[in-house]
Amino acid sequence: MYETQHRLPGGAAQVVGLDHLISEIEDGCRLALPPDYGGVAVAATLRIIERAPRSLHLICLPSSGLQADMLIASGCVGTVETAAITLGEAGLAPAFTQAVKAGRLRMLDATCPALHAGFQAAEKGVPFMPLRGIIGSDILHRRLDWQVIDNPFPETDADLRIVTVPAIRPDVALFHAPRADRSGNVWIGRRRELASLAHAARRTLVTVEEIVDDDLLAEEASAAGVLPSLYVSSLAVAPGGARPLGLQDLYEPEPETVANWTQAGGQGDWAGAFAALRRALAGETAA
């Protein structure tokens, strides 16, 4: 069922199998990811790992956790651009921590506002976005691509300089959402960072719990929570595809599974860590 492929009405997106969906993520791809609370395509990420692309450049909006750690643990990642990689209450992300300490990753430190500014510049089709708040911080010494320039519109003497953050245009954005309709429109609800990912990326790949017959844009009250099919390149149906991370009001996060990942990964038992994730996904899809 999930390996079929067809064009949705209007030609905006294809419904494909997971393997076909992630085949566009090749070596060196600039891959944009949402935070752990924002609709993570865990099932698709496991398929990416099976294909074993190399030197991926992860761009997190504005942070990541389990998903980035999975890709790093599998040797798929060369560069990480993020405000944080964290597993929250489960502690440090073990693969990320080990790779940074060993010098195996190129780390591009960022802040949440700076990442949002870079994506917003790409959304607007402009080369950069001005940003306040980080002048005088150490991060500017590490991000030579962020430039401090004269502010052409100063309001006070303390406002004479401003930071410019280049537009961030990923090759691919990947996330999981509750549903899409048969026109390719995707319900993202209040997760507006998913819209930024899709607007900025050259291609947007989405896994969903289901495809529904109703037109998600038909009702004025709900249309604002919909990503139009114009911004969606391909769709795959993957029930439970965000587990063990939660998905809006459909299912809750599974903190014990994430904690098991931290413990097993910290001990170097990556086979055990990945087995726990696959069991979580199997439990959902078997229901």
Side-chain angles (χ1 to χ4, degrees):
M1 175 179 177
Y2 302 134
E3 298 303 320
T4 60
Q5 175 179 338
H6 63 274
R7 177 68 65 176
L8 291 166
Q14 285 184 321
V15 177
V16 300
L18 273 181
D19 289 333
H20 187 281
L21 185 86
I22 57 92
S23 66
E24 298 188 46
I25 300 173
E26 302 175 339
D27 292 357
C29 176
R30 288 167 52 86
L31 178 62
L33 307 175
D36 274 6
Y37 54 80
V40 174
V42 177
T45 301
L46 286 169
R47 295 290 185 95
I48 293 170
I49 289 167
E50 291 172 0
R51 290 190 67 247
R54 291 294 181 261
S55 301
L56 297 180
H57 179 153
L58 304 185
I59 309 172
C60 311
L61 187 64
S63 64
S64 185
L66 182 63
Q67 185 178 29
D69 217 44
M70 292 165 61
L71 291 165
I72 293 167
S74 303
C76 298
V77 181
T79 301
V80 177
E81 186 170 357
T82 185
I85 301 292
T86 176
L87 296 179
E89 293 184 359
L92 297 175
F96 170 75
T97 302
Q98 294 163 19
V100 168
K101 287 183 175 179
R104 296 195 301 270
L105 281 180
R106 176 177 175 245
M107 183 65 200
L108 295 178
D109 290 321
T111 68
C112 296
L115 286 162
H116 280 285
F119 276 86
Q120 288 164 1
E123 287 183 279
K124 298 175 184 296
V126 297
F128 63 86
M129 188 67 65
L131 182 69
R132 289 188 173 96
I134 55 177
I135 292 179
S137 68
D138 289 342
I139 197 169
L140 290 174
H141 299 299
R142 302 180 60 84
R143 291 301 303 262
L144 300 182
D145 53 330
W146 298 356
Q147 298 184 25
V148 181
I149 65 171
D150 291 335
N151 182 358
F153 304 106
E155 297 177 355
T156 68
D157 289 343
D159 195 30
L160 297 177
R161 304 283 279 171
I162 198 162
V163 179
T164 57
V165 176
I168 298 174
R169 299 185 181 90
D171 297 315
V172 174
L174 173 69
F175 59 83
H176 186 75
R179 64 192 67 89
D181 65 22
R182 298 196 179 279
S183 295
N185 305 305
V186 176
W187 172 258
I188 60 173
R190 66 173 67 102
R191 299 268 60 96
R192 302 314 301 171
E193 67 274 3
L194 299 182
S196 293
L197 289 174
H199 294 165
R202 292 178 171 85
R203 294 187 64 76
T204 298
L205 312 179
V206 184
T207 58
V208 295
E209 296 287 315
E210 61 177 345
I211 293 178
V212 299
D213 292 328
D214 296 338
D215 182 353
L216 295 177
L217 286 171
E219 297 294 331
E220 189 71 26
S222 61
V226 176
L227 177 69
S229 60
L230 171 67
Y231 299 105
V232 180
S233 306
S234 295
L235 292 162
V237 179
R243 295 187 66 192
L245 304 175
L247 183 66
Q248 294 190 15
D249 298 327
L250 296 183
Y251 45 88
E252 295 295 321
E254 301 169 28
E256 289 186 2
T257 303
V258 179
N260 290 340
W261 170 274
T262 304
Q263 181 176 5
Q267 297 171 351
D269 179 16
W270 294 113
F274 278 104
L277 296 181
R278 294 184 184 280
R279 285 194 298 270
L281 283 166
E284 176 66 18
T285 55

